Amino acid sequence: WFYGKISEACRLLAQEAGADIIELNFSCPNDKRGELYRDRKESSRVSKAVRNAIGNTMPLFIKIGYLEYSPLSEVLQANINYINGITAINTIAKVIVDRDGSEFFPGRIKAGISGSAIKPYAIEVVRNLNELRLKNHYEFDILGVGGVMGSQDVQDYFDCGAKGVEACTGVWNNSDLAMEIRAV
């Protein structure tokens, strides 16, 4: 019931905003509940509820964090009937402390590491997703994200099987990043 109500609200907001897709962030490292992507059963319940609420009105993507091949395969298999794509990967949650070993973010011991530090992990997940897609004859799109600082990073994701690329930290460092990549 709960997922259905949230899903309906999500659909209405997305349609009102003119969204092209809905991306469910199953991997927010800054929230204690931010590892839904690790739970194949619960993540598929959410994907199914949202899919039922939106029907086939727009593509549905899930955003995941880092997973090794076997758990990635299980999560993909559990969600494949409800999604059109996967965005990989979100930041990697790590314990963050200040110089004296105290919590860096009061009340929160973990935070997300992003940027070029996570690119090798993101590339691994995109490669594995592409391999699983080909091996199992799945139809879904892959959006790569993590460490996109320039046009070569975008090409690296395309070479691994991504259909598109997202950037966050790179844009924080260079507000013209998208224009520079597009110019190449």
Side-chain angles (χ1 to χ4, degrees):
W1 175 87
F2 175 74
Y3 291 143
K5 290 292 185 187
I6 296 295
S7 301
E8 179 64 15
C10 177
R11 179 187 67 79
L12 292 171
L13 287 170
Q15 285 179 332
E16 184 180 307
D20 294 321
I21 71 167
I22 293 175
E23 180 184 85
L24 304 175
N25 187 355
F26 286 176
S27 58
C28 181
N30 301 320
D31 185 323
K32 293 175 186 170
R33 301 159 293 173
E35 295 193 343
L36 182 60
Y37 72 96
R38 294 183 181 280
D39 187 332
R40 61 187 175 91
K41 289 181 183 177
E42 197 64 18
S43 67
S44 67
R45 282 184 54 202
V46 174
S47 294
K48 181 179 181 181
V50 174
R51 174 53 67 205
N52 288 339
I54 68 172
N56 291 319
T57 59
M58 66 181 62
L60 179 63
F61 281 59
I62 59 174
K63 187 172 191 177
I64 64 171
Y66 176 78
L67 289 170
E68 292 181 350
Y69 190 89
S70 183
L72 179 64
S73 177
E74 291 174 8
V75 167
L76 178 58
Q77 184 179 12
N79 284 276
I80 194 64
N81 292 325
Y82 314 114
I83 62 171
N84 303 96
I86 296 181
T87 304
I89 64 174
N90 204 340
T91 63
I92 297 176
K94 292 291 180 189
V95 173
I96 307 293
V97 295
D98 64 18
R99 291 182 183 157
D100 68 2
S102 303
E103 289 180 358
F104 189 81
F105 298 104
R108 189 176 90 205
I109 195 158
K110 286 187 175 183
I113 304 299
S114 61
S116 57
I118 69 164
K119 183 182 173 197
Y121 300 96
I123 289 288
E124 175 188 333
V125 173
V126 170
R127 267 197 192 105
N128 288 342
L129 283 168
N130 190 48
E131 182 180 318
L132 289 162
R133 177 174 56 186
L134 297 171
K135 176 181 167 184
N136 296 298
H137 308 286
Y138 291 147
E139 290 190 27
F140 68 95
D141 291 327
I142 302 167
L143 299 179
V145 63
V148 177
M149 308 303 263
S151 60
Q152 184 57 53
D153 299 313
V154 172
Q155 189 60 52
D156 292 345
Y157 279 105
F158 288 152
D159 291 347
C160 295
K163 183 174 183 177
V165 178
E166 295 180 0
C168 182
T169 303
V171 177
W172 279 85
N173 293 329
N174 177 3
S175 62
D176 294 326
L177 180 64
M179 298 302 287
E180 290 173 10
I181 290 170
R182 188 172 174 99
V184 174

